[in-house]
Amino acid sequence: MRDECPLSVTDNYYFLSVSSQLKPLKFAASGNIDFIIYAFFSPAMSKPVSHIPKVVFVLLIAVIIRIIPGCCDCNEPLQYFNFNTTRLTFIDNAGTYPRPMPGDTMNAAAVAIKLEMADSAGYFQYSRVLKTGFPGFSTASAWCYCPIPMKANAWLKQIKITTLYPISDEIPAGTDVSSLFVGSLEYGYYSGSSLYLTLESLCTQTNDKTYQDAGIESFLLFLKPEVAYDSARFAISLSLSDNRILNDTTSLIHIRR
Amino acid sequence: MKNRTASTGRALFAAAIAAFLVQYAAAQKPARESLGFYLHFSGQQIQRKVQNSGGEMDFLNHLYDGTGNEVSGVLSFGTSFSAGEKWSFSAGFGTYSDMGISRMNIESEYLAGNISPAAKWGVQTIASIFPVYINPVYPSNHYEIKGIWHGDELIDVNTNYRQFRVYDPGISLIPFISHSHKALNLSAGTGFRLSSFMPFSERIDLKQTGGNLRREIRYATGYRPAIASHTTATASVDLAGKGEFRLGIQAKAALIYGLRTIPYTRSISTWTAGNTTEERIVPAGKPYLIAEAGGGIYLRFGTRRR
């Protein structure tokens, strides 16, 4: 969790950063600008001949504040949580990229579900709950923003999906259709491959996984065969490594042809 | 791909420098030396006839605009150094209209003997790199590559224009003859060039419109050394000078001709990475021509070699 600092840091000078982005906000004078600091505060500056470094410093101060990288000493303690609640929503995957679907009507060949597992206590952006910035000036901060590392007490061992409606004549209601689904991490596209992951891979990657600031696991699940009927619905059973099983059922999916 | 290209380029450059130094060390003590600078502009033509690849990708079908013929201007500059009567070296770089340094030439010449009082013969070695742009348009008539899936078309997810640069480094060995008369110097030679296109990889991501299916196609090329003929001709004239300083003009021409192809391994994955088929494809070798002619000025300090 300790962020490495790319530049040598002296602890004598700190600058306030006003940033619109959630980046490390602790700023320190690095060796690169020591000469400016020295020139500005040195006794020699009282001599008339030394005005130029002052002028340069004043003119560059805005740039300096923006370009000096901050280094955070993040040693936040690991926070443990439990997956004990699930949420199923629908995904529109008829286009090039999957996106949230407000309705419940899907293409016959594009049945897609988003599965989220979380701790019912919540922990979304947990560090933000613990630390707040200046009132009315929320993105300004003179201290580090360190995400809280989180780890689930039990990881996902198996995803079992059962169809509650027939998918085709060969796949009647009640069939275990886990092998007919593939998945992806919600934000995992184009990180080296555009292909889907198997459900086994989705489970495996949760083992010993450290989540940053949010104890939420989120998958997208995609049905491979076309649905031959007008409706579909799935029951999903998630087996955890501590032998608990989380069950959930999708809403009714209307199939568009 | 970039890292591999860069490291191989550095290795080639280091090898050329090493060859340069070895040759220089082997040279006799220079009795006279001269240092020169040149600036040239030339026209370069790369020609490779587009061939029917039977629905398979042939990257050389997509050189430049895909017509099989490309003419470009090249601005070259460099230095030359003559060590004594027998050895001379030059190193130069070239840029196309993008003004990026993408061509390199390192040459060494050894004058081996006399044919007549005015004519000599020798051997030239050239380490050179030619970049080519490839603008691949992937075949759509191959069912497994694109095609139709349950009535829906598979579309290329990457809608950006695809273009990449591939380097063609090589080493040439060229016996030549040269003739000098007053301010004029002529030389011509022909030999062979050993070269290979640098390996590269490409990926196409396909997605079914209206459906979940995803397919990924990966192309990975490898080294394919090829021998080509390499012919050069140079004419230079000293126009002005004083003492050991000379200003002159120079015309140069080169022709490289051989059979070239870029073989590759094609992997097609459907749904998941575990469902992958792989195939080795070697498009037929076809005549590949690089022709270049141009000229410019040179400055030389020191005694002329020949």
Side-chain angles (χ1 to χ4, degrees):
Chain A
M1 274 309 296
R2 185 185 180 88
D3 289 343
E4 294 299 329
C5 182
L7 297 174
S8 63
V9 173
T10 57
D11 290 325
N12 300 329
Y13 307 100
Y14 290 87
F15 293 96
L16 180 70
S17 164
V18 180
S19 170
S20 58
Q21 298 173 351
L22 296 179
K23 289 184 175 175
L25 299 178
K26 178 181 177 184
F27 285 80
S30 73
N32 289 14
I33 63 157
D34 276 352
F35 77 98
I36 296 176
I37 302 289
Y38 178 78
F40 194 66
F41 293 107
S42 135
M45 297 302 296
S46 58
K47 295 177 183 176
V49 73
S50 302
H51 284 309
I52 291 175
K54 277 187 179 178
V55 172
V56 171
F57 178 75
V58 169
L59 292 179
L60 293 180
I61 187 68
V63 178
I64 292 168
I65 287 175
R66 292 296 302 177
I67 65 171
I68 297 171
C71 304
C72 281
D73 191 7
C74 289
N75 283 311
E76 306 301 319
L78 198 60
Q79 178 82 33
Y80 286 91
F81 68 99
N82 284 304
F83 289 127
N84 55 21
T85 184
T86 61
R87 186 166 73 143
L88 296 171
T89 51
F90 294 145
I91 295 295
D92 176 6
N93 196 36
T96 305
Y97 303 102
R99 57 184 183 182
M101 173 182 276
D104 58 5
T105 304
M106 300 182 191
N107 277 10
V111 172
I113 302 160
K114 179 179 174 181
L115 164 64
E116 290 171 291
M117 295 193 305
D119 191 317
S120 55
Y123 286 113
F124 182 68
Q125 289 213 332
Y126 189 53
S127 62
R128 296 243 155 241
V129 178
L130 301 178
K131 295 178 180 177
T132 56
F134 295 122
F137 211 158
S138 59
T139 57
S141 180
W143 56 77
C144 280
Y145 166 65
C146 290
I148 306 290
M150 309 187 76
K151 191 168 279 191
N153 287 314
W155 51 279
L156 185 59
K157 276 178 67 179
Q158 189 187 26
I159 302 172
K160 183 181 176 186
I161 305 173
T162 306
T163 180
L164 302 180
Y165 284 69
I167 291 177
S168 64
D169 292 343
E170 295 77 31
I171 310 170
T175 306
D176 180 350
V177 290
S178 307
S179 62
L180 301 181
F181 271 87
V182 288
S184 72
L185 298 175
E186 186 177 3
Y187 304 108
Y189 278 101
Y190 305 111
S191 56
S193 173
S194 65
L195 294 168
Y196 298 113
L197 300 170
T198 61
L199 298 195
E200 291 76 20
S201 301
L202 289 178
C203 294
T204 305
Q205 61 87 35
T206 65
N207 187 1
D208 206 30
K209 182 176 181 178
T210 301
Y211 301 82
Q212 296 295 332
D213 229 15
I216 299 174
E217 184 64 79
S218 182
F219 303 140
L220 304 184
L221 302 172
F222 305 90
L223 180 64
K224 290 199 283 186
E226 275 192 32
V227 177
Y229 297 95
D230 293 337
S231 302
R233 196 175 184 198
F234 301 94
I236 298 179
S237 174
L238 306 170
S239 301
L240 301 172
S241 61
D242 59 359
N243 296 323
R244 285 184 299 124
I245 295 177
L246 303 176
N247 292 305
D248 206 347
T249 304
T250 66
S251 307
L252 187 66
I253 301 168
H254 295 99
I255 301 299
R256 177 175 52 222
R257 299 186 182 284
Chain B
M1 187 188 81
K2 281 182 179 175
N3 285 342
R4 195 167 44 186
T5 304
S7 62
T8 313
R10 280 195 294 271
L12 184 72
F13 184 76
I17 294 292
F20 182 97
L21 293 174
V22 167
Q23 287 181 328
Y24 182 66
Q28 294 174 349
K29 266 191 179 175
R32 293 172 177 177
E33 294 180 348
S34 71
L35 181 67
F37 301 94
Y38 68 83
L39 180 67
H40 287 170
F41 182 79
S42 54
Q44 174 198 275
Q45 181 186 24
I46 291 184
Q47 194 177 64
R48 198 277 197 176
K49 195 176 178 183
V50 176
Q51 65 172 328
N52 182 356
S53 55
E56 305 289 2
M57 166 56 73
D58 181 351
F59 286 102
L60 289 180
N61 274 353
H62 302 283
L63 289 174
Y64 301 96
D65 59 1
T67 60
N69 193 26
E70 172 69 15
V71 177
S72 325
V74 185
L75 185 66
S76 309
F77 55 94
T79 61
S80 62
F81 175 69
S82 294
E85 298 294 327
K86 290 183 178 296
W87 287 90
S88 73
F89 309 93
S90 75
F93 298 92
T95 175
Y96 295 94
S97 58
D98 60 2
M99 299 310 287
I101 305 291
S102 53
R103 275 188 47 169
M104 184 195 77
N105 258 51
I106 296 178
E107 303 179 16
S108 66
E109 277 184 18
Y110 176 69
L111 281 175
N114 296 325
I115 299 172
S116 71
K120 297 180 179 181
W121 74 277
V123 177
Q124 185 181 36
T125 56
I126 305 174
S128 55
I129 292 179
F130 290 93
V132 291
Y133 281 101
I134 292 180
N135 304 302
V137 178
Y138 293 97
S140 59
N141 57 344
H142 195 289
Y143 172 78
E144 281 194 324
I145 293 181
K146 222 162 181 184
I148 303 296
W149 183 268
H150 291 191
D152 291 324
E153 186 188 0
L154 297 182
I155 58 165
D156 190 345
V157 170
N158 182 358
T159 54
N160 295 312
Y161 183 68
R162 294 174 188 268
Q163 182 184 66
F164 50 90
R165 187 159 61 185
V166 177
Y167 287 96
D168 177 23
I171 294 180
S172 305
L173 185 67
I174 303 172
F176 70 94
I177 55 172
S178 72
H179 176 83
S180 297
H181 179 69
K182 295 184 178 176
L184 176 68
N185 186 53
L186 302 171
S187 73
T190 187
F192 67 88
R193 179 174 192 258
L194 180 66
S195 64
S196 170
F197 289 106
M198 301 296 288
F200 58 92
S201 59
E202 263 292 287
R203 194 183 91 195
I204 309 171
D205 300 326
L206 301 175
K207 163 82 171 57
Q208 178 190 11
T209 53
N212 284 335
L213 179 79
R214 281 184 175 272
R215 178 168 286 160
E216 184 180 280
I217 302 166
R218 287 178 185 265
Y219 297 94
T221 70
Y223 288 100
R224 176 84 170 190
I227 290 181
S229 69
H230 190 170
T231 302
T232 62
T234 306
S236 57
V237 182
D238 291 345
L239 293 179
K242 188 174 181 182
E244 295 204 331
F245 165 73
R246 290 288 181 276
L247 169 67
I249 56 173
Q250 191 173 49
K252 289 184 99 169
L255 189 73
I256 299 172
Y257 181 84
L259 294 178
R260 304 295 296 273
T261 184
I262 300 181
Y264 57 88
T265 301
R266 186 185 66 203
S267 309
I268 300 178
S269 306
T270 304
W271 292 109
T272 59
N275 184 21
T276 300
T277 58
E278 204 172 273
E279 195 174 354
R280 174 80 176 160
I281 293 169
V282 184
K286 285 286 176 184
Y288 183 88
L289 172 82
I290 302 173
E292 186 173 345
I297 58 169
Y298 65 86
L299 298 172
R300 191 172 60 242
F301 305 90
T303 309
R304 186 169 150 178
R305 184 163 64 111
R306 295 161 192 160

